[in-house]
Amino acid sequence: MISITLSFVAGVLLVQQFSELPPGNGLWVGTGIAVIFAFLRLWRLMFFVVGFLWAAFFASERLVDRLPDPLQGQDIVVQGKIIGLPQYDERRVRFDFSVDSRSVKADKFPSLIRLTWYSPIKEIKAGQLWRLTVRLKRPHGNFNPGVFDYERWLFGRGIGATGYVRKVPKAILVNKQAGWLNIDNWRQDISDKLIKRLQESDFQGIVKALTVGDRQDVSQNQWDVFRKTGTIHLMAISGLHIGLVAGGIYFLVLRLWARTGYLNWSPANVAAVFAITVAFFYSALAGFSIPTQRALVMLTVAMLSIIWQRNARPFNVLALAMLVVVAIDPLSVLSPGFWLSFLAVTIIIYVLSGRLRRPGYWPGVIKIHLVTSIGLAPLLIF
């Protein structure tokens, strides 16, 4: 499993080194080569080629879902739904907008765009359906060394255009909510309730950040404290939060179910199902951000190995999780968080593998913090 995963990831990484994607004929040739390798049972080479082909196909589909050049700078009427929690500042709001393709009079139009609305006519909330007149341009960013790569970030999120809302003609609110099954509506409702309950609290922004992944209300002074204490990563819901919540639920349900005496269903299996369910809903509340998706996949693979009673080696489970993550989103290899999270878990598994004997609880905790700090420090510096 480890060699297969590394071969697949190597194929995905190779695509990232190309200045241009291979032509369509090249993909057909690659498919034929993969079939030959499979026939010869050269599995590592086959997965390498499959990883290359999948990453190339995935990237080409993303590039197709971009704003056509003739539509740049034009006023376009679009209708669609607001995705995720809008980001407010003093006089404008930014949000992602899922476009209904039937509302646009164009052959090709991106399904997801990122908009800025100056002085909106109504309060903008997640899940609302709007008919807007927008002016768009293709995603672009600065290429200065050491600067945040905004264009790559947009590409990774599948955003095919950026722009702003025009004041004329006037925007129309089609529907206040997209339906009760929409997760964005839940996030917005929870966020609104937290604002009402904690409107006089200095920790309103922190609670919202840890609950629904909305960090816009965390004050600058609080950010400074987190930065100086080295705890700024706690404000971004990621593998740490998903793991803590799911792990706590797993051990709690495991103990409680065992005490019921109803053992027709294994306590470990029941606890694993509860852990996956809670992790899924917590990831949903965080907006299914890329770090939460990665953590959810890793946790699900680990819990399924318990449910299916597979006595798998921890490194094989980790390799399978990496394979699934990269298969779902080949662009995740461009994220430093991808490599940091898997490297951190690898270090933890290696230290706690108990090759001679398992460490105690507190010695294990101290060892984890020590080795992860030493092991990840060079990557965080450079």
Side-chain angles (χ1 to χ4, degrees):
M1 178 56 68
I2 296 176
S3 61
I4 287 176
T5 298
L6 294 179
S7 299
F8 184 85
V9 173
V12 172
L13 285 172
L14 180 60
V15 177
Q16 319 304 329
Q17 313 309 315
F18 284 71
S19 58
E20 295 182 358
L21 292 175
N25 294 335
L27 296 181
W28 283 111
V29 172
T31 302
I33 294 174
V35 172
I36 293 173
F37 284 149
F39 180 77
L40 297 176
R41 298 181 180 275
L42 300 174
W43 304 119
R44 294 183 183 88
L45 292 176
M46 187 204 73
F47 272 91
F48 175 81
V49 176
V50 170
F52 179 88
L53 294 174
W54 173 236
F57 174 78
F58 189 91
S60 63
E61 289 297 307
R62 282 285 175 91
L63 290 175
V64 169
D65 192 31
R66 278 195 164 193
L67 183 72
D69 282 330
L71 296 181
Q72 292 196 95
Q74 303 293 325
D75 287 350
I76 306 170
V77 178
V78 297
Q79 181 171 315
K81 179 178 64 176
I82 296 177
I83 302 296
L85 297 177
Q87 300 175 354
Y88 278 89
D89 60 19
E90 294 181 357
R91 62 187 184 91
R92 64 184 179 183
V93 57
R94 292 190 181 93
F95 54 89
D96 295 339
F97 195 71
S98 178
V99 179
D100 184 353
S101 59
R102 296 171 297 180
S103 67
V104 183
K105 298 179 180 179
D107 295 335
K108 294 181 179 180
F109 199 84
S111 57
L112 185 64
I113 59 179
R114 188 168 179 82
L115 297 173
T116 300
W117 194 344
Y118 296 90
S119 302
I121 58 177
K122 292 184 178 180
E123 186 178 7
I124 305 302
K125 293 188 176 183
Q128 290 178 339
L129 301 177
W130 283 89
R131 183 179 294 113
L132 307 171
T133 301
V134 298
R135 183 168 291 184
L136 303 173
K137 62 182 178 181
R138 282 193 161 198
H140 74 282
N142 297 323
F143 291 96
N144 299 330
V147 177
F148 174 68
D149 194 340
Y150 184 58
E151 184 173 352
R152 187 176 71 177
W153 182 82
L154 293 173
F155 184 72
R157 290 174 60 90
I159 296 174
T162 61
Y164 61 95
V165 179
R166 302 280 287 172
K167 294 183 178 181
V168 179
K170 188 177 180 181
I172 300 175
L173 178 59
V174 179
N175 196 345
K176 293 183 178 181
Q177 289 187 337
W180 69 273
L181 286 176
N182 189 282
I183 189 62
D184 289 325
N185 289 344
W186 296 0
R187 297 182 68 210
Q188 186 68 68
D189 290 341
I190 293 174
S191 177
D192 294 342
K193 291 178 180 179
L194 289 176
I195 291 175
K196 291 181 180 179
R197 293 286 183 90
L198 304 174
Q199 56 184 345
E200 297 181 358
S201 174
D202 295 334
F203 301 101
Q204 176 195 116
I206 296 177
V207 174
K208 285 177 60 180
L210 295 176
T211 306
V212 295
D214 183 9
R215 296 175 289 173
Q216 60 181 319
D217 291 333
V218 179
S219 67
Q220 187 59 49
N221 291 334
Q222 290 171 333
W223 281 123
D224 292 338
V225 172
F226 292 136
R227 191 175 294 107
K228 292 177 181 178
T229 56
T231 56
I232 195 170
H233 62 283
L234 297 178
M235 289 299 101
I237 298 178
S238 59
L240 173 64
H241 303 78
I242 302 296
L244 287 174
V245 172
I249 292 296
Y250 177 84
F251 288 108
L252 178 63
V253 174
L254 182 67
R255 294 293 181 88
L256 293 178
W257 193 267
R259 289 179 178 274
T260 63
Y262 185 79
L263 302 180
N264 289 337
W265 294 341
S266 169
N269 292 355
V270 174
V273 171
F274 270 89
I276 293 175
T277 303
V278 172
F280 176 84
F281 279 104
Y282 192 28
S283 300
L285 287 179
F288 282 120
S289 61
I290 293 177
T292 58
Q293 292 178 27
R294 187 166 56 241
L296 179 61
V297 169
M298 295 173 65
L299 176 73
T300 302
V301 171
M303 291 295 109
L304 287 178
S305 66
I306 295 176
I307 295 173
W308 293 335
Q309 298 181 0
R310 300 294 184 183
N311 189 18
R313 294 190 304 167
F315 282 115
N316 284 341
V317 175
L318 181 63
L320 179 59
M322 176 180 284
L323 180 63
V324 174
V325 168
V326 178
I328 293 175
D329 183 12
L331 299 178
S332 61
V333 299
L334 299 176
S335 170
F338 170 85
W339 300 104
L340 287 173
S341 60
F342 276 102
L343 179 58
V345 176
T346 301
I347 293 174
I348 292 172
I349 292 176
Y350 179 79
V351 171
L352 299 182
S353 57
R355 292 173 300 278
L356 298 178
R357 62 183 180 88
R358 293 186 178 275
Y361 177 77
W362 287 113
V365 170
I366 295 173
K367 185 181 288 188
I368 287 176
H369 285 281
L370 181 62
V371 299
T372 52
S373 299
I374 296 175
L376 299 181
L379 292 178
L380 295 175
I381 293 174
F382 296 104

